[in-house]
Amino acid sequence: MVNYICDLPTKEERNKYAQVVIDMMGVLNPHLRDVADFKHKLWDHLQIISDFKIDVDSPYPTATPELVKHEPELLTYPQHNIKYKHYGFTVEKMINKAISITDEEKRQKMALSIANFMKMAYTTWNKDAVADEFIIQDLSELSSKVLQLPEGTVLTKLDFKSAPPGNRVKGNSPAQTTNNNSGHSNNNHSRSSNNNNSNNRRPSGTNSFQKRSNSGGGSSNNNNRRPYQNNNNSNSSSNSNSGYKRG
C-alpha cells in the first residue's frame, strides 16, 4: 500500500491515501495509543516503510535517515588498576583522601573507619573470618605505610545489608498483647458462663414428669409406681374370686 501511494501522480491523492494508511496503522497497533505523540510515531513509521521516498504533507517534521538510523554513542567502561579487587577502587580513593588530611587525630579516625569498611568488604566476598591484623597490614600497604593503626586495635564488622521488603518484625506490641489477653479472658468468661448455664438446665422429660406427678397428686418416684399390668391382674383376680364366691 505504501509503494502504491509512492507511485501516485498527484500529491493530493498521496495525502488522501496516506491518511487512510495512518488510520489503519493505528487500528492494527492499538498499544501505540498509550504512547505520547503516537501520531508522530506513525508518520515516522510511514517514512521508514517507504524508505524515506514518499512525498506527502506530514503534520510533523519529516523523518530523515540521519535522525532515525543514527548509531548510539559508545559508553566507555571505567578502567582502574585495582590492587586488591575485593576492597574495590573506592577504598583506594578513601585512603588517598585520608593521606591528604593534615590533622593527625582526624587522620587516625579516618584510618580506623577505612579499616572497618575494609573488613566489611573482605567478609562480603570471603565468607571466612579475617584477622584484624591482616586488615591493618593491607591498609598500611595500600597507603604506603602512611596510615598506621596501633597494635591491638579491634575492628568492628560493619553490616550495611538492609532487611528485605515485606518482612514483619516478630513479636507483638504491648497494645496487641493487651488486646490478645483481653480477648482470651473474654473467651474464658463466655465458656464458663456457658458451662454454668448448661449445668443449671434440666432435661425437659424430668420437668414434664414432675408436672404430671404434681397434678395427679401421686408420688414423683418411678420406683413406687406399680405397672399397669399388675393392676389388671389384681382386678382380674378379684373378679374371679368374687365369681367363685357367688358360685
Side-chain angles (χ1 to χ4, degrees):
M1 295 174 66
V2 175
N3 293 332
Y4 174 78
I5 296 173
C6 293
D7 295 335
L8 292 176
T10 62
K11 197 171 187 178
E12 183 179 359
E13 291 179 340
R14 290 196 297 270
N15 291 335
K16 179 180 178 181
Y17 286 105
Q19 186 62 49
V20 175
V21 172
I22 290 295
D23 295 338
M24 188 184 66
M25 291 168 65
V27 173
L28 295 177
N29 299 274
H31 63 279
L32 293 178
R33 299 180 185 275
D34 299 332
V35 180
D37 298 334
F38 76 100
K39 284 286 188 181
H40 192 181
K41 185 180 289 293
L42 294 179
W43 282 97
D44 290 345
H45 290 176
L46 180 64
Q47 290 287 343
I48 295 172
I49 293 172
S50 66
D51 198 13
F52 305 97
K53 295 178 181 179
I54 189 171
D55 185 12
V56 292
D57 294 332
S58 173
Y60 304 97
T62 304
T64 59
E66 292 77 13
L67 296 176
V68 176
K69 297 183 178 180
H70 68 279
E71 294 183 359
E73 297 179 0
L74 296 178
L75 298 176
T76 58
Y77 190 81
Q79 299 291 336
H80 300 293
N81 295 324
I82 305 173
K83 189 171 184 178
Y84 297 120
K85 295 185 182 298
H86 54 276
Y87 292 137
F89 184 71
T90 304
V91 172
E92 296 184 4
K93 294 177 65 176
M94 293 168 63
I95 291 174
N96 294 331
K97 182 66 176 178
I99 292 174
S100 62
I101 297 176
T102 57
D103 191 351
E104 183 64 25
E105 183 178 358
K106 291 183 179 179
R107 185 167 58 185
Q108 285 297 110
K109 291 181 179 180
M110 186 69 178
L112 181 60
S113 300
I114 294 173
N116 290 328
F117 183 82
M118 291 171 62
K119 184 176 181 179
M120 185 274 297
Y122 187 95
T123 54
T124 299
W125 299 103
N126 301 276
K127 300 304 180 182
D128 298 334
V130 59
D132 294 344
E133 293 79 6
F134 183 79
I135 300 296
I136 295 173
Q137 182 181 357
D138 288 346
L139 176 63
S140 177
E141 184 178 353
L142 291 173
S143 63
S144 299
K145 298 184 179 180
V146 176
L147 302 179
Q148 297 282 347
L149 293 177
E151 295 183 1
T153 303
V154 179
L155 302 179
T156 58
K157 179 184 176 182
L158 302 179
D159 192 1
F160 294 99
K161 296 179 180 179
S162 60
N167 288 357
R168 298 180 179 178
V169 179
K170 294 182 179 180
N172 295 329
S173 60
Q176 292 177 347
T177 306
T178 304
N179 294 332
N180 292 334
N181 293 333
S182 61
H184 289 306
S185 61
N186 292 332
N187 292 333
N188 295 330
H189 179 70
S190 61
R191 291 176 183 174
S192 61
S193 60
N194 291 332
N195 293 332
N196 293 332
N197 294 332
S198 61
N199 293 331
N200 294 329
R201 293 176 61 186
R202 293 181 179 179
S204 58
T206 306
N207 293 333
S208 60
F209 174 72
Q210 288 179 353
K211 290 179 180 179
R212 271 191 242 129
S213 61
N214 293 331
S215 60
S219 176
S220 62
N221 192 356
N222 292 333
N223 294 329
N224 295 330
R225 296 177 62 188
R226 293 180 180 181
Y228 182 74
Q229 184 177 1
N230 293 337
N231 293 333
N232 293 334
N233 292 335
S234 60
N235 293 331
S236 61
S237 61
S238 59
N239 293 331
S240 60
N241 291 333
S242 59
Y244 178 76
K245 289 179 181 180
R246 288 175 186 174

